[in-house]
Every structure is written in structure tokens, then in C-alpha cells.
Amino acid sequence: MISSSFRRDTITRPIYQWAKGVLPALSETERDAIEAGDTWWDANLFTGDPDWNELLSYPKPMLSPEEQAFFDGPVNTLCAMLDDWRMTWETRDLPPEVWDFLKREKFFGMIIPKAFGGLGFSAFGHAEIVRKIATRSTSAAVTAMVPNSLGPGELLVKFGTKEQQDYWLPRLADGREVPAFGLTSPEAGSDAGAMVDEGVVVRGTWKGENVLGIRLNWHKRYITLGPVCTVLGLAFKLRDPDRLLGGEEDIGITCALVPTDTPGVSIGRRHLPAFQTFQNGPNWGQDVFIPLDLIIGGAERAGQGWKMLMTALAAGRGISLPAMAGAAAAYSALTTGAYARVRSQFGIAIGKFEGVQERLARIAGNAYLVDGARRLTCAGLDLDRHPSVISAMMKSGATERMRVVVNDAMDVHGGKAIMEGPRNYMGSQYRALPVGITVEGANILTRSLMVFGQGAIRAHPYMLKEILALGDQDDARGLAQFDETFWKHVVHALRNGIRATARAWTDGALAPAPDAGRAARFYRKLGRYSAAFALTSDIALLTLGGELKRKEMLSARLGDILSEMYFLSGALKRWEDDGRPDADFPLLQWCAETAFATIEQRLDEVFANLPNRFAAWLLRAAVLPFGARRRGPSDHVTRACADLILHPSATRDRLVEGVYVGGKDEAIGQLIDAFERVVVTQPIHDRLKDQGVRHWKDGLAKNLLTPDEIAALDAADQAVAAVIAVDDFAPEQLSPRPVETAQPAKRPKPIAEPSVVTEPRSFGEGSTA
């Protein structure tokens, strides 16, 4: 038997030396991002053998009585106050009474603990509220969500000193302070390390006293709530050239609070993001002096800003934007299913055409899928997990599916959704799509760099430990740690190789599954693909090493597989949490078959493009021995899913739960009224059709209708006519009118080298991101 010391020194050491030059090294920002969050169900999927009973043991997310009361009360009241058409095309802002209501009812303090005057809501409660508001107005939802997502409030709750929390949190909770956060700058978007915004440790005057502080110079843009904020959370690079803090000169990215009435702060003019009216704009600061105690968390948190931001994003990405995507999907299911039922062509409802049914099924299936994954993620967050990889998957995957769903809804509505006006209930949802796709990390980079790039390190059972061992400055200690971890990794990979091959050749029949009724087969197949993914990931890392970071298309495909497995896990959990309703099963089947087809396609693409052709051949033989055979949902399943949103049912109610409808004097209220009337009168139409009558009015002369039936049919026709009508405008309403031409904002002067200035000087323009 080989001793551990002999193995380490004779076998492991050469591998250790080889791996040092092959496996990816962690940059400082990558290390901060990875250490900021933790893992959860994503790590289970990465094992290649998920514990399904663990998935099903997670508690079903539910609103507390207090959250439900807020949802039924202030949230509904807020939705009734909103007129998105008027806000977009007339006022370009939320009405003053809405701003007052948001502050008074503490919408800006949903995540702030009750001890500081906030509402102290759960992640699920926060998400449900944002989701409902988003079904009424994207701009209002963004306005409500930003103070509760990435921003000063969340950072103060997690990292603030007691003094900072006692002062700032009550003021943020009741709206006395409106927060924004300045991260993005012209030079640094996704590459935050490239920011040139700078703070220098100096002495200066603050409120009449000479204190140690920071002189700030910055230029930020795309800052949501920036034009109206009273306190700006600011990310900048901090330097201490005179070693006044006694440490390094380059301290690193730091986060601080900057009251916007501080001399030198300038708030720029507003941006108009995709014709959404939430407040957004640039800001600048020149020689702005603040004391050290405005660093979030105090001076001891100087240089920890990037890790703090990544920790906050690990939660925020998993709540707000998935909630907005879920809102758009449920909203599209409600409106498009109803419209396809009431709108007729060639004498039949357009929802009966199979081309339309394909779109309806995709809308319904994605609505079910996104909301299942959203609920699962909220469950994890409420278990006090901070799954950064899952949050990145949710942000990217949910908003991409939102784009598909809203585009399908637009196609089914046709001209109805193109002609702008108060009757067009789809236009604002369509215009808002790029906002969700772009903010909090553009989807292109999230997909190609983050999901698998971080997941392969953070969620893999052994990869992070190996990388940390390779980077250990103590070579002996690093070798010992690497030796212990590496051989566990080898055993893990061999088991996954056997597992993946056996499950592939039996199409998952040998994979374990929980007691899940009709859904058990989906668990088995998902177990098959989990093993295939784990094996493929290990081989890709082994053959490419650090080069995999630069193979972004390969990394993106592997990330897609992980994302598909996570989203389907959410759908499976949702079906279980809802009590396994048979009527909902076509939706679950659509989600599963779509996911399996995508996974096999991505595996096939990985094998076709993996540079090591021998490794690609072995992987293909092991995990796709019969090729990529999944083709997605059958036509039968597609028709069944489409029917679920074309007819009233408990399934349809569950799918569109929480969508704000409004009264019958509004466009969606009129649509639902017409939908209900068409459904009620359908049996009359069917009876007349059986008697050879094409249109109900032709049956009047034959005395085939009672007075009540005539009244119901006539009312239904009028309701449908009102729904399919579009807005028009008099020429003078649309004629050009004099407006101020938009002018490029002045760029601030280049940030100067620090001087011996001890007093802050006024100048500039600046605020949030």
C-alpha cells in the first residue's frame, strides 16, 4: 500500500507543479466575488448526483400575514394610482402623490429591519411585491425595488456600523432620505476594476471641524434614482499616499455614503432609459470631502467595497429582476391567452391556430418555469443563503426568457400591440425589455463569463480548494492541501464517469428519483444530465485549464446546461409544492422536454468545439451515445399548454396569480371582461353552429335565440370590439412642438493628482448608478 507521504512527494508533486501553470489563477476581484457569496442547490447539481429529497425538503415560500396584508392593501392601492401611459408620454415621472405614498407606506424600507423602522420583509415578500407592481408599471417597480436591492440600505444592513445604522436606516425606511448607488462610470461598466473614480485620504473640514477624511473625484452614469437621491452610495478606488491610515498606499475599491448636498457634488440631467420614466441620470463630484466615518462599515471596511457589492448582488440579482421577469411572463400569459380567445379570424378564435398555439405554449411554459425558479431562489435566500452563481443564473436566465415571452405576446397581438395609446397594454412591457437585459451585469457577459466561470470554481466540490492550494505562498502547505483534495477529485471524477455513462446508455433509467408521481421520470433524466454535465466540466477543465476562461463560447454553453438544470429544478419543486395538480402537468412536461432538448444541444455543441478531439470523442461516446435526440415538447403537449391559458381554470389562475387587472374602464379590465363574456357565450355559438348558423345574428330570423341570449351575445360583441380597437390621434396631437434639444453633458475635468488642499471646493455634477 502506498503511503500518503510517498504519494504526495512522488506522484502528486509533478501534478501539482503542472497544475500551477494550467489551472486558472484567481484575480483579486474574482476572489472577492467568489468569497462574497456561497453555494446552495447549484453545488448539488455540480456533484453529478443531486439529492432530490433535499430539494423537496426546502420550505415552500409563502407570504407572512403581515406581508399578505401589505400586498392586499398598500400594493393594490399603489397599482390603482398608476397610469403608465400618462407617466410615459405626459409627465415623464411618477406623480407627486405616488412618490409621497411610496415613502409614507415604507416601500423603500421593505428590507430594512423593523428595529430601524423598516418593514423587515422576507426575500419572497419583497419579490412578490415588486412582481405585482411590475405588472402595472415597470417604472414604478424599478423605483420601489432599487432602494431595496443594490444600494446603501442593503449595504448598511449587512455591513454598517451601529452608528450608521441608527442614523441612516430609519431615514431611508420612511423616505426622508432617497438613496441611489454610484457604481457604473463611462470607463468602467462590467469591468469595475477599470474605474478611475478616486478617493484620497487627507485632512479636511467637516461641519466646522478638522478631521481625517477622503477627498473624492468621480463621474458616474446610468444611476437609478440619481436625479432625486439625497444620499449617494459611491464606489471608488481609495488611495492613502501619505499613509495617514498606517497601511498600504493603494487600499482598493471602497464604498461610502455621500450626502448629495455636500459641496462639490453635482447631479446631472436625466437619462430616458427605453422610454421608461424611472429616475435615472449621471452625477459628478470634484474635490468632495467626506469624513472617514461615512465609509460604509467604518474605516476598517476601507478596501472591502468590491466584496461588499458582490455580497449584495448575490441576493439582489436573485430577487428584483427575476420578479420583474416573472411579472412580464405572467402578464403576457394573462393578456395573450385572453386576446387569442376573443380575437377571431376566418370565423374562429386565433388561439385555435396551431402557429399561435406554439407561441401561447411558449408563453405559458416559460411563465411556469420562471416563477418556479424564482420561488426556489427566494426559498434559498430566506434560508439565509447567498448563492451568487444562482443569482447570476436567475438574472440572466429569467430576463432572457422574459424577452422570448414578451416577443411572442407581441407577435400574437399583432397590430394591437404596435399602435401606441392608452389601449395598448403591451407596449411598455416591450420597451422595457432592454432594461432588465442590461442592468446589474449585461446578460452577454453574465452568460459567457460568470455562470460557469464562477460556478466551476465555487460550486464544484473540489475545484476551489485545489485553486487555493495552488495559490498558497507556503509551497509545502499548498502541496499537502492539493494532495488531499486532488485524489478526492479523481475518485469523484471516476464515479461520475461511470455514473454518466450508465445513465446515458439507459436514458436515465438507472438514475435515482424521489417519490414524485408522474414527475419521477423527469428527475431521472435530470439526474442523467447532471452526471453528464459534471463529467464534461471536469474534462473541459482538465484539457483546457486556465484557457477555458478565454473560451467564452464553450463556457457559455456549459453555463446554459447548469442554468437549464436549475430552472427545471424550480419547476419540479413548484409542481410538488402546489400539490402535484394533474391539470398543471402539461406545463411541467413542456418545461422538462424543452430543458432536455437544450441540454443535449449544448452538450453536442461543446463536443463539436472542444479543442482536444480525443477527449471530445470519449465524452460523446459516454454521455451522448445516440446523439442529441431530444426535440422538445410534442405537438400534443404544446396544444395542451396553449389551451390552459385560452380557458378559465384553476391552472390559469395559478399561472397569472398576482397580475394587477384594474377596472373595466381600463384596457386590461376591458380585455378580461370580453374574455369572460366570450367564454360564457361560447355554448350558444356552438349550438348555432351545429344548426348550420354561421353568425348568431343570422339566427335571429329563425327564432333560435332567447332575449337573454341575444343580449349576452350582443354585449360580448361590443366588448370584443372595444378590446380589438386601437388608439388614434388628431394630427395636431402628434405634430412637432418646440422642445429643448438634448445637449451632451459636460465632462468633468480629468481627476487631478492629490494636492495639499484641506478644504472641500465646490464644483461639478454628480449622483447614482
Side-chain angles (χ1 to χ4, degrees):
M1 186 173 180
I2 300 176
S3 69
S4 59
S5 59
F6 178 82
R7 183 191 66 192
R8 182 190 63 227
D9 296 333
T10 308
I11 303 174
T12 307
R13 185 178 294 278
I15 300 173
Y16 175 72
Q17 297 298 334
W18 168 80
K20 274 181 171 287
V22 173
L23 284 180
L26 293 180
S27 67
E28 185 176 342
T29 55
E30 286 175 326
R31 183 184 292 267
D32 285 345
I34 288 170
E35 292 177 352
D38 55 23
T39 61
W40 188 47
W41 183 245
D42 50 334
N44 222 314
L45 292 170
F46 241 105
T47 65
D49 195 24
D51 183 349
W52 301 120
N53 289 317
E54 179 182 331
L55 173 69
L56 299 182
S57 73
Y58 298 142
K60 176 183 178 180
M62 298 180 67
L63 295 176
S64 69
E66 190 175 3
E67 290 168 342
Q68 188 67 57
F70 190 84
F71 190 84
D72 295 336
V75 175
N76 274 332
T77 301
L78 171 65
C79 289
M81 297 170 72
L82 298 169
D83 182 342
D84 210 50
W85 167 259
R86 185 166 182 269
M87 287 157 46
T88 301
W89 302 110
E90 295 179 22
T91 65
R92 297 277 200 263
D93 194 5
L94 276 64
E97 60 271 22
V98 171
W99 279 104
D100 291 342
F101 186 80
L102 288 168
K103 296 175 182 179
R104 184 171 67 251
E105 297 297 331
K106 300 187 177 181
F107 278 84
F108 295 162
M110 286 189 282
I111 66 165
I112 294 175
K114 293 179 182 178
F116 298 105
L119 297 175
F121 285 170
S122 65
F124 184 64
H126 173 196
E128 287 292 280
I129 290 164
V130 170
R131 178 179 179 271
K132 181 151 195 174
I133 299 171
T135 66
R136 180 63 162 172
S137 166
T138 299
S139 293
V142 170
T143 302
M145 85 184 193
V146 164
N148 296 285
S149 185
L150 174 62
E154 185 173 11
L155 293 172
L156 285 167
V157 169
K158 292 181 182 296
F159 305 107
T161 65
K162 185 178 185 305
E163 293 75 14
Q164 289 172 343
Q165 292 175 339
D166 288 341
Y167 178 79
W168 289 105
L169 290 179
R171 300 172 68 85
L172 291 169
D174 62 20
R176 279 176 288 169
E177 304 284 355
V178 177
F181 196 88
L183 177 60
T184 303
S185 59
E187 298 82 5
S190 298
D191 180 12
M195 73 170 64
V196 297
D197 310 298
E198 184 180 71
V200 179
V201 180
V202 295
R203 298 199 68 86
T205 301
W206 179 261
K207 296 183 178 179
E209 295 185 16
N210 186 270
V211 298
L212 193 61
I214 304 169
R215 186 176 68 249
L216 292 164
N217 288 277
W218 77 84
H219 177 195
K220 301 292 187 180
R221 65 175 179 175
Y222 306 154
I223 310 305
T224 301
L225 298 189
V228 296
C229 74
T230 61
V231 59
L232 174 66
L234 188 71
F236 55 91
K237 288 184 175 178
L238 182 61
R239 295 196 309 113
D240 184 11
D242 297 328
R243 304 294 203 282
L244 296 176
L245 298 180
E248 298 291 326
E249 176 179 347
D250 293 318
I251 295 175
I253 295 176
T254 300
C255 295
L257 300 172
V258 181
T260 54
D261 60 358
T262 304
V265 175
S266 296
I267 305 298
R269 301 194 303 177
R270 282 181 63 185
H271 299 310
L272 189 59
F275 275 94
Q276 302 304 302
T277 56
F278 60 85
Q279 294 279 338
N280 187 284
N283 58 76
W284 294 270
Q286 182 150 333
D287 292 340
V288 177
F289 181 81
I290 61 170
L292 287 179
D293 60 14
L294 284 181
I295 294 175
I296 296 177
E300 59 269 26
R301 289 282 185 181
Q304 298 181 26
W306 186 243
K307 185 180 292 187
M308 291 162 62
L309 290 170
M310 291 301 98
T311 300
L313 276 174
R317 279 194 184 119
I319 297 175
S320 299
L321 291 169
M324 294 186 68
Y331 181 92
S332 296
L334 175 77
T335 56
T336 313
Y339 187 79
R341 181 66 188 271
V342 305
R343 181 70 164 124
S344 296
Q345 291 288 280
F346 307 105
I348 59 173
I350 63 172
K352 296 297 182 182
F353 291 96
E354 288 198 350
V356 173
Q357 288 181 331
E358 188 175 14
R359 303 302 182 92
L360 295 176
R362 195 156 59 194
I363 291 170
N366 276 309
Y368 190 85
L369 184 72
V370 168
D371 219 54
R374 183 183 68 87
R375 294 181 188 189
L376 176 60
T377 305
C378 287
L381 294 168
D382 284 328
L383 289 171
D384 202 29
R385 306 303 293 265
H386 301 88
S388 55
V389 175
I390 286 176
S391 293
M393 285 192 291
M394 283 302 301
K395 187 273 172 184
S396 174
T399 55
E400 287 296 336
R401 287 170 172 86
M402 172 179 68
R403 170 154 49 190
V404 170
V405 164
V406 173
N407 278 332
D408 282 340
M410 293 289 291
D411 285 353
V412 173
H413 279 84
K416 169 69 178 177
I418 294 173
M419 303 305 164
E420 290 290 2
R423 287 186 174 98
N424 185 344
Y425 45 77
M426 285 305 307
S428 183
Q429 291 283 346
Y430 182 73
R431 290 191 302 274
L433 285 178
V435 176
I437 298 292
T438 303
V439 299
E440 291 192 18
N443 281 3
I444 290 175
L445 294 183
T446 300
R447 174 178 178 260
S448 61
L449 294 177
M450 290 184 60
V451 174
F452 183 76
Q454 289 188 14
I457 296 172
R458 194 69 185 86
H460 191 284
Y462 303 107
M463 186 60 62
L464 179 59
K465 293 178 182 178
E466 289 171 336
I467 290 175
L468 293 177
L470 292 168
D472 198 321
Q473 297 301 311
D474 185 325
D475 196 64
R477 184 175 59 200
L479 175 61
Q481 181 61 50
F482 182 81
D483 177 71
E484 179 184 350
T485 306
F486 174 76
W487 293 107
K488 290 179 180 178
H489 189 166
V490 169
V491 173
H492 167 77
L494 290 173
R495 286 176 178 167
N496 260 335
I498 297 169
R499 185 183 295 129
T501 303
R503 292 179 183 179
W505 282 82
T506 60
D507 196 21
L510 299 180
D515 177 14
R518 300 173 66 188
R521 59 192 170 102
F522 300 146
Y523 289 92
R524 290 192 178 92
K525 285 185 170 57
L526 192 52
R528 169 198 167 178
Y529 295 122
S530 174
F533 168 75
L535 178 63
T536 303
S537 298
D538 273 335
I539 297 300
L541 287 162
L542 176 65
T543 58
L544 286 168
E547 185 67 18
L548 186 55
K549 290 174 65 174
R550 289 172 285 279
K551 298 290 186 181
E552 294 176 23
M553 288 185 279
L554 281 176
S555 179
R557 293 178 182 115
L558 290 166
D560 287 347
I561 297 170
L562 181 60
S563 182
E564 290 290 337
M565 292 193 297
Y566 182 77
F567 272 80
L568 182 53
S569 296
L572 289 165
K573 180 69 164 62
R574 176 179 182 172
W575 194 67
E576 190 73 23
D577 285 346
D578 288 345
R580 304 182 187 175
D582 283 338
D584 296 10
F585 192 76
L587 294 169
L588 180 62
Q589 189 171 2
W590 187 96
C591 294
E593 295 299 339
T594 301
F596 298 154
T598 302
I599 290 169
E600 289 201 357
Q601 181 182 347
R602 294 295 181 269
L603 286 170
D604 183 63
E605 292 167 354
V606 169
F607 303 154
N609 291 280
L610 197 64
N612 189 311
R613 300 313 303 150
F614 179 69
W617 179 84
L618 284 178
L619 282 169
R620 187 180 293 279
V623 304
L624 277 185
F626 309 109
R629 299 193 303 167
R630 302 291 173 197
R631 295 180 176 84
S634 68
D635 292 351
H636 172 75
V637 171
T638 298
R639 286 190 293 267
C641 289
D643 282 344
L644 288 173
I645 58 173
L646 286 169
H647 302 88
S649 68
T651 296
R652 186 176 185 273
D653 292 343
R654 282 189 290 271
L655 199 63
V656 304
E657 184 180 10
V659 176
Y660 185 82
V661 172
K664 293 183 180 179
D665 58 336
E666 299 183 53
I668 300 180
Q670 290 173 352
L671 172 64
I672 299 307
D673 177 56
F675 173 73
E676 292 171 349
R677 291 179 185 276
V678 166
V679 169
V680 168
T681 57
Q682 188 62 51
I684 306 174
H685 286 289
D686 292 341
R687 192 189 79 221
L688 293 174
K689 185 178 179 181
D690 290 341
Q691 294 175 318
V693 177
R694 180 174 180 181
H695 192 278
W696 69 267
K697 290 185 179 179
D698 297 333
L700 294 176
K702 298 180 180 181
N703 294 319
L704 297 176
L705 297 165
T706 67
D708 287 345
E709 289 174 333
I710 294 171
L713 290 164
D714 187 57
D717 279 2
Q718 291 185 45
V720 170
V723 164
I724 65 175
V726 297
D727 295 283
D728 50 39
F729 302 88
E732 58 271 19
Q733 290 178 282
L734 300 179
S735 61
R737 54 183 176 175
V739 294
E740 180 186 354
T741 303
Q743 297 292 328
K746 284 185 178 180
R747 278 190 60 87
K749 296 178 182 178
I751 294 175
E753 288 299 314
S755 61
V756 198
V757 176
T758 58
E759 297 289 337
R761 296 181 301 194
S762 295
F763 173 81
E765 306 182 7
S767 224
T768 354

